[in-house]
Amino acid sequence: MSRLEMSGRREEGRGQRPRVLILGGGFGGIGAARKLADANADVVLVDRNDYHTFQPLLYQVATDLLETAAVGHALRDLFHDQPNASVHQGTVTSIDVDKKVVEFEDRAPLDYDYLVVALGATVNFFGTKGADEYGFPMYTLVDAVRLKEHVLDRWEAADRDPSLVDDGVLNIVVVGGGPTGVESVGALAELYRSNFAEDYPDLPQEKARLILVEASPTLFAMFKQDIRDYTTKALEQRGVEVLVGESVESVTPTRVTLKSGKVLEAHTLVWGAGLQASPLGSSLPVELQRGRRVPAEPDLSLAGHPEVFAVGDVAWITDSKTNEVLPQLGSVALQAGERAGENIARLLEGKATKAFEYEDKGTMATIGRGAAVVQFRRGRTMKGKAASLAWGTVHLALLSTGEDRAKAVIDWTWAGFTHERPSRISVRTDVNDEKRSEK
Ligand SMILES: Cc1cc2nc3c(=O)[nH]c(=O)nc-3n(C[C@H](O)[C@H](O)[C@H](O)COP(=O)(O)OP(=O)(O)OC[C@H]3O[C@@H](n4cnc5c(N)ncnc54)[C@H](O)[C@@H]3O)c2cc1C
């Protein structure tokens, strides 16, 4: 029983206005909080981190193009101009929609009048042996920094002992032919073939292999054939080996074994093959859908609980206009979060909620500099530089503040012109430096 339940009363220090509790400060949570700026309610946003992660740019952190501050933005900073909102750090452990209480690992429980569940998703290794232990997923800022540090460490190891090259110290296997896998391997290829080639001229660059493994017969199954062909060609031109119809059986620190029996020498495995919604969805009284996603009603509320809303990657959202289940994308999360916020504002004013309709600006992915793909809803496709521009425009709109957008434009333009990767250093926090060890 929670401390709040035991006391059997309203939480101490709680204001008189209704409380809207938002769990998760991703695109969904931020979108909801923003739309409640004028509501007569206390908006409380809780995230386990004190920052929002702009996931579409995680590859750029992993490949040293951007620094962490360009991709992680302080959540408190985002709400300085919203007097009815407060931000807290806390890890959710359970949600009780009957008692209207949320419990946390590291702070007192919070009760609510309205709840927005926007807890995102986590990586799914599908039980692949060794993948959890030795693989590098790409879902959080910590994942991106870990991968970056590991890759730099492997090149330094090869520099110290070039005999490791034949053992696969520089090789990377990327798993998954969807956007995460393709975008990751594309970004790694640029890092390998340009910057590392110059940084480590004594190492045999031609032996540094980048291998993309996809279980189905094609990359980018969600795109049309012309995009698939373009993508495979663009990756191969960047020196990526594409293996389709192959899946990973097991992983060790230095080897990746495929189900076909083939063994790949590689000291790095990047996992971009699957997601599952936050495990906290199972606290809710609904039957979860594929990928553990929480089914949302047309207005994004939970069946039988009009005061609870589920948005973003954690939710199974059906577009009211097309009746199609929407993909786990930043633009879906942001728009759904905004609609949930608007609906709560309407309920607070005694008005009826509105169904969610997604405004689809196209499905898109970047493969490398000047190489991107876009597929619009009616099937028209775009490739190359024009698609890169479309990707940039749509993703700029996802950034939280005008200041972020301006900074991103400067960073991207600078990187585009100079090809520089300023973050290509490894700052060790696990070893004592000279000064500290003198003490
Ligand atoms: C590498 C990568 C690239 C992508 N590229 C694109 C792209 O180019 N375009 C696009 O549209 N989409 C892209 N996506 C998808 C997009 O980023 C997600 O769909 C979007 O972030 C989902 O938003 P969300 O708010 O639902 O979840 P998230 O952004 O994941 O936010 C969930 C929040 O909940 C917090 N949280 C989780 N569990 C707990 C807990 N127990 N307690 C407290 N807090 C918790 C997390 O810290 C996080 O801040 C990409 C995703 C990845 C991983």
Side-chain angles (χ1 to χ4, degrees), residues 11-304:
E11 196 188 303
E12 269 174 42
R14 165 101 132 85
Q16 290 310 305
R17 295 196 293 187
R19 176 187 280 166
V20 182
L21 180 57
I22 299 176
L23 306 179
F27 293 116
I30 288 179
R34 280 268 158 76
K35 287 289 173 184
L36 285 156
D38 297 324
N40 185 22
D42 293 321
V43 177
V44 179
L45 186 145
V46 187
D47 196 290
R48 67 177 160 212
N49 297 318
D50 60 359
Y51 56 84
H52 161 77
T53 304
F54 191 83
Q55 289 176 346
L57 293 179
L58 284 177
Y59 323 107
Q60 279 84 340
V61 172
T63 57
D64 317 308
L65 202 59
L66 294 179
E67 291 170 35
T68 50
V71 174
H73 195 118
L75 277 168
R76 290 175 194 280
D77 204 27
L78 293 178
F79 293 98
H80 281 168
D81 58 352
Q82 190 171 329
N84 72 343
S86 61
V87 172
H88 303 286
Q89 196 174 355
T91 301
V92 180
T93 50
S94 75
I95 304 167
D96 187 332
V97 291
D98 293 324
K99 298 197 171 89
K100 297 192 178 175
V101 174
V102 173
E103 304 230 4
F104 302 89
E105 192 177 287
D106 37 12
R107 57 183 305 123
L110 288 171
D111 64 10
Y112 63 82
D113 298 291
Y114 295 92
L115 180 72
V116 178
V117 181
L119 290 165
T122 59
V123 63
N124 187 355
F125 292 109
F126 301 107
T128 307
K129 211 170 134 205
D132 190 5
E133 209 174 339
Y134 306 116
F136 288 82
M138 271 292 266
Y139 202 69
T140 65
L141 198 46
V142 174
D143 292 339
V145 173
R146 266 185 72 225
L147 177 61
K148 161 195 147 126
E149 299 278 330
H150 175 77
V151 172
L152 286 173
D153 177 71
R154 294 296 75 200
W155 279 79
E156 290 301 333
D159 184 56
R160 286 190 296 272
D161 178 4
S163 73
L164 287 173
V165 172
D166 287 332
D167 190 54
V169 73
L170 304 179
N171 298 350
I172 301 184
V173 173
V174 178
V175 186
T180 304
V182 169
E183 294 192 338
S184 300
V185 81
L188 285 164
E190 291 198 337
L191 171 69
Y192 264 44
R193 309 302 174 213
S194 52
N195 306 81
F196 282 169
E198 287 177 354
D199 284 353
Y200 302 93
D202 298 335
L203 290 175
Q205 303 293 329
E206 68 291 352
K207 289 191 175 174
R209 296 172 67 194
L210 294 167
I211 306 156
L212 179 63
V213 177
E214 162 58 35
S216 76
T218 177
L219 298 182
F220 272 171
M222 72 290 275
F223 285 109
K224 289 175 87 171
Q225 191 61 44
D226 61 326
I227 285 189
R228 297 180 196 170
D229 295 342
Y230 171 86
T231 302
T232 305
K233 202 166 148 212
L235 288 176
E236 286 174 349
Q237 277 170 350
R238 287 165 171 74
V240 175
E241 298 167 46
V242 178
L243 287 185
V244 291
E246 287 275 17
S247 51
V248 176
E249 169 85 28
S250 64
V251 187
T252 70
T254 57
R255 296 289 179 272
V256 177
T257 305
L258 303 180
K259 290 212 167 111
S260 63
K262 201 180 281 177
V263 177
L264 303 169
E265 290 98 10
H267 288 209
T268 310
L269 173 115
V270 178
W271 191 267
L275 286 182
Q276 53 192 341
S278 161
L280 286 152
S282 56
S283 300
L284 304 172
V286 285
E287 195 177 323
L288 299 182
Q289 299 293 312
R290 192 155 41 83
R292 226 166 46 187
R293 287 158 81 184
V294 175
E297 295 289 287
D299 67 352
L300 302 170
S301 68
L302 206 64

Side-chain angles (χ1 to χ4, degrees), residues 354-429:
K354 285 186 175 173
F356 175 57
E357 287 183 7
Y358 176 53
E359 194 192 330
D360 188 355
K361 300 196 176 100
T363 308
M364 46 191 80
T366 47
I367 300 154
R369 192 174 291 115
V373 293
V374 181
Q375 184 169 303
F376 296 100
R377 183 170 240 167
R378 292 188 200 287
R380 191 166 67 84
T381 59
M382 201 192 254
K383 302 180 278 290
K385 288 206 170 84
S388 287
L389 203 63
W391 187 96
T393 311
V394 166
H395 286 80
L396 273 181
L398 279 177
L399 283 163
S400 309
T401 64
E403 196 189 317
D404 279 353
R405 280 174 213 140
K407 189 170 179 318
V409 170
I410 293 167
D411 284 348
W412 296 351
T413 315
W414 181 252
F417 277 123
T418 63
H419 297 200
E420 271 182 20
R421 291 177 191 263
S423 310
R424 216 159 67 258
I425 56 167
S426 182
V427 181
R428 301 280 303 271
T429 53

